[in-house]
Amino acid sequence: MDWATAEALALASILADGAPIRLTGEDVERGTFSHRHAVYHDVKTGARFIPLQALQHARASFEIHNSPLTEGATIGFEYGYSIQDPRRLVIWEAQYGDFINGAQVLIDEYLTSARAKFGQTPSLVLLLPHAYEGQGPDHSSARVERFLQAAAETNMRIANCTTAAQYFHLLRRQAALLETDPLPLVVLTPKSLLRHPLTASPLAALAVGHWQPVLDDAQARPRAIRRVLLCSGKVAVDLLTSKLRPAHPEVAIVRVEQLYPFPLADLRPLLEGYPDLHEVVWLQEEPENMGAWAYARPRLQELLENRWPLRYLGRPRASSPAEGSTNWHVVNQNALIEQAFQL
């Protein structure tokens, strides 16, 4: 089950449960990467067909609209929609995660501080395509560091999931909490991983699974592990599929799927399950002054309690979120993966 199919099943099941859905965004009807087939067009008549509006078992309405490249206005509107209709799952998707920059004033003034300032309880979902693909500074980073800097007092949820099943359960959890624990949800969604075999999930993982804030290394042999790589998002898939991985059974690759609230309770028993662990490494694609490192570092230091050293591995500090050259991106990304497996 690939990413887009899992999303469609999640939305269909939410409609069957009786929660209405509003999905808008920049090219959201087909998905920027042509992965989502939410709206079909008759080539002869031009008539539109929306499968999620034709479900016999649906007990709520579904609407989908492409929104213009005016992020500030659109986010303001969708924020207001989620406030005035709190029982509706309101989702907005950026064409690229970086485009959220255009709505930064709305994010700061309303989305992340609504509870503290106004007593409002928004539940707007932001889908922000994020990850380093060599497409340049303006198509790489959704600036997760900005959201994490504003994360406090349990004012939102931030996730960077790497499997279709995880995304399925994340959307369903958000819908289930609309009335009991409404919070904005920021999801760093994939680009190249949309069709990657490693992100696909068996149907059983959707049917009987659940959301997991942390994914342990399924191939790790606990007694063999000396280094744990903590990472989030696409770089984890780069590590898991690297040709260097089979030669280094002493390295475990642990995916932090939920960045806020930070899953300390899940990480503690996981690390303690590696009895001969020597060090913990936070690995990220983003420059050192961006990404989740600055946010995660003090929390991990508190968790580790000097039992194991904590190291950073990633791009050096930079003023730009990514390289302006595809060739330089490839060189730097390959070097990052090689360093991850060097003891």
Side-chain angles (χ1 to χ4, degrees), residues 183-194:
L183 287 174
L185 171 63
V186 178
V187 188
L188 305 178
T189 59
K191 292 177 284 186
S192 67
L193 298 187
L194 289 168

Side-chain angles (χ1 to χ4, degrees), residues 130-132 144 148 158-162 188 193 211 213-215 229-239 253-260 262-263 281-286 291-293 296 313 333:
H130 172 93
Y132 284 55
V144 61
L148 291 172
I158 303 174
N160 191 4
C161 39
T162 56
L188 305 178
L193 298 187
W211 167 251
V214 177
L215 293 180
L229 297 173
L230 297 177
C231 48
S232 188
K234 174 185 172 292
V235 72
V237 176
D238 291 344
L239 290 165
I253 301 166
V254 175
R255 288 173 273 178
V256 180
E257 303 273 291
Q258 178 175 294
L259 292 170
Y260 184 80
F262 198 66
V281 176
W282 178 269
L283 185 146
Q284 66 179 33
E285 302 180 282
E286 301 90 346
W293 168 239
L313 183 56
Q333 194 76 357

Side-chain angles (χ1 to χ4, degrees), residues 148 262 264 267-268 282 292-306 310:
L148 291 172
F262 198 66
L264 290 174
L267 283 170
R268 182 173 286 106
W282 178 269
W293 168 239
Y295 160 82
R297 182 177 184 176
R299 291 159 177 82
L300 289 173
Q301 288 175 332
E302 176 186 350
L303 170 66
L304 300 183
E305 297 178 330
N306 295 320
L310 174 65

Side-chain angles (χ1 to χ4, degrees), residues 228 277-282 304 306-312:
V228 165
L277 181 62
H278 289 175
E279 65 172 352
V280 176
V281 176
W282 178 269
L304 300 183
N306 295 320
R307 293 176 61 184
W308 306 286
L310 174 65
R311 294 202 301 115
Y312 165 81

Side-chain angles (χ1 to χ4, degrees), residues 23 48 80 89-90 99 106 134 155 165 194 210 220 224 233 240 246 250 279 287-288 290 294 303 307 316 318 334:
L23 175 58
R48 288 157 49 98
L89 182 64
V90 181
F99 291 4
L106 272 297
N155 61 334
L194 289 168
H210 58 89
L240 290 167
E250 74 282 1
E279 65 172 352
E288 186 175 1
M290 302 177 195
L303 170 66
R307 293 176 61 184
N334 288 340

Side-chain angles (χ1 to χ4, degrees), residues 79 105-122 153 155:
Y79 171 88
V105 172
L106 272 297
I107 299 298
D108 293 343
E109 288 297 319
Y110 294 97
L111 190 70
T112 60
S113 58
R115 282 173 172 258
K117 293 197 297 189
F118 311 123
Q120 293 181 330
T121 55
E153 302 175 291
N155 61 334

